[in-house]
Amino acid sequence: MATAEQTYLRSELLERREHILSFEPRPDTDASAKQLLGEIDAALARMEAGSFGICLSCHTPVEADRLLQDPMVEVCLDCLSPAEQRALERDLTLAAQIQRGLLPRKDLAPLGWRVGYHYQPAALVSGDFCDLLETDSGLLFLFGDVAGKGVAASMLMSHLHATFRALADSEDSVERMATLANRLFCESTLAGQYATLVVGRGARDGGVELVSAGHLPILHVGSGGTVSRDATGYPLGMFRKAEFAVHRMTLQPGESLLLYTDGISEARNSADEEYGLERVAEVASRCASLSPDGLIENCLAALSRFSGARKATDDLALLAMQYVQ
């Protein structure tokens, strides 16, 4: 673990210790409180000894995302007992069910738009982010990727989902929404944790305004070709006072926006060749006249032909939005 992370986790442990000591029942009269206090003290002692984050059984590093979730973890996944592994699997299955419940409805039909998306975690849970909301001023779309994988990334993804759901009713500009979300994200995450994110709004006349906080180029797909729209600011969580410029464009009937995470652009084939952004744009251009679902299906088919039997190692998400007037 990095020094900044250990400093944060130490402060978290000390805060928990104070809570236990200040509430009834106290550790000297309650066995469960005494056990919790002992686990906290043991973790603090490992920090002092320089052995924090090292598995007590096999002496290899404990998974970083598990330590961020629970700094009192003492063993790596491989050294968990069968009962502990089954309990963890049950927790992850429940987390995956909750996460999928946060995704937009598949039958969403916002006025003036057709939408489609694909969401594919590399494991049970994902750090990719996709949400669609109908508001009085149009279709609000949110799409991004939390750095990392697994439980820690999925927890941060859920945090972003809740943040933007709370901001959606304000009808603020997309620039202000990104600014507020960035400040909240900076104040509630560790140093080094960040997320790329697109927050945008599609009006019923085809007008689109969007902010891209460090995300991959957005593709504006039309009969005349595909135009890339680059990021307008840094990823969320990097700089508390970051500012975000706005892309504004007008889509003609039949034109689409395609958003994707690096699970597609950084996928590799058996020769260890990267799929790359150019291939994504080429497929989008060939499929410009298709519906959002058709566009996504062709993107996935082209990726499958490229990667072959090689297993995906990263979360993958795509969002397509077509203006239909």
Side-chain angles (χ1 to χ4, degrees):
M1 297 289 286
T3 301
E5 291 173 334
Q6 280 206 24
T7 300
Y8 171 81
L9 292 176
R10 186 175 186 276
S11 68
E12 286 288 302
L13 288 169
L14 289 172
E15 184 176 349
R16 295 183 193 186
R17 194 179 194 280
E18 288 301 315
H19 278 301
I20 292 175
L21 292 175
S22 62
F23 286 101
E24 296 291 347
R26 294 175 59 83
D28 53 356
T29 60
D30 182 82
S32 61
K34 184 177 182 179
Q35 179 181 347
L36 286 172
L37 188 63
E39 292 176 1
I40 290 174
D41 287 342
L44 290 170
R46 291 195 297 275
M47 287 183 177
E48 292 296 326
S51 59
F52 181 78
I54 302 300
C55 177
L56 297 183
S57 296
C58 67
H59 309 294
T60 60
V62 175
E63 296 79 10
D65 61 336
R66 293 179 62 230
L67 284 172
L68 290 173
Q69 184 185 14
D70 181 2
M72 294 183 287
V73 168
E74 296 180 327
V75 296
C76 67
L77 287 173
D78 291 338
C79 293
L80 292 176
S81 69
E84 290 171 328
Q85 290 181 352
R86 287 193 297 272
L88 180 60
E89 288 171 1
R90 288 194 296 270
D91 290 344
L92 287 174
T93 300
L94 177 59
Q97 292 172 350
I98 293 172
Q99 191 171 56
R100 287 200 169 273
L102 300 177
L103 292 171
R105 301 192 328 267
K106 281 291 187 179
D107 61 350
L108 187 68
L111 188 63
W113 296 88
R114 287 184 194 159
V115 296
Y117 69 88
H118 177 79
Y119 193 81
Q120 181 180 321
L124 278 175
V125 291
S126 170
D128 285 358
F129 179 81
C130 178
D131 202 6
L132 295 162
L133 293 166
E134 288 188 85
T135 69
D136 291 340
S137 55
L139 175 65
L140 182 67
F141 56 96
L142 310 160
F143 189 85
D145 185 3
V146 173
K149 304 180 185 68
V151 174
S154 71
M155 291 176 68
L156 289 177
M157 185 282 283
S158 298
H159 171 56
L160 276 176
H161 181 275
T163 297
F164 277 102
R165 282 278 172 162
L167 293 174
D169 292 335
S170 67
E171 294 293 337
D172 279 333
S173 68
V174 294
E175 180 182 12
R176 178 163 171 76
M177 290 178 68
T179 300
L180 290 172
N182 178 64
R183 289 176 185 170
L184 290 170
F185 201 69
C186 286
E187 291 169 359
S188 58
T189 57
L190 295 171
Q193 292 181 316
Y194 63 91
T196 65
L197 183 80
V198 176
V199 51
R201 184 177 280 114
R204 295 183 180 95
D205 63 357
V208 174
E209 59 173 8
L210 63 85
V211 161
S212 175
H215 198 69
L216 296 168
I218 299 157
L219 300 181
H220 179 179
V221 185
S223 58
T226 297
V227 178
S228 294
R229 306 285 183 173
D230 292 330
T232 61
Y234 296 106
L236 300 190
M238 282 193 167
F239 305 101
R240 187 178 182 278
K241 296 182 179 180
E243 297 181 354
F244 302 92
V246 180
H247 275 315
R248 289 183 173 86
M249 65 196 83
T250 299
L251 272 62
Q252 300 302 313
E255 293 186 340
S256 301
L257 293 180
L258 178 64
L259 294 80
Y260 51 93
T261 58
D262 56 13
I264 184 170
S265 61
E266 295 182 3
R268 293 182 175 274
N269 60 15
S270 58
D272 203 34
E273 179 186 8
E274 187 176 85
Y275 190 71
L277 300 177
E278 289 185 3
R279 286 188 175 90
V280 180
E282 287 172 3
V283 174
S285 294
R286 291 200 305 268
C287 303
S289 62
L290 297 183
S291 68
D293 287 339
L295 176 55
I296 289 173
E297 287 172 7
N298 276 269
C299 286
L300 293 174
L303 177 64
S304 179
R305 290 192 296 270
F306 173 84
S307 57
R310 184 158 181 168
K311 184 179 179 181
T313 59
D314 200 0
D315 304 323
L316 168 64
L318 298 103
L319 170 64
M321 302 169 44
Q322 185 179 54
Y323 177 56
V324 293
Q325 200 172 28

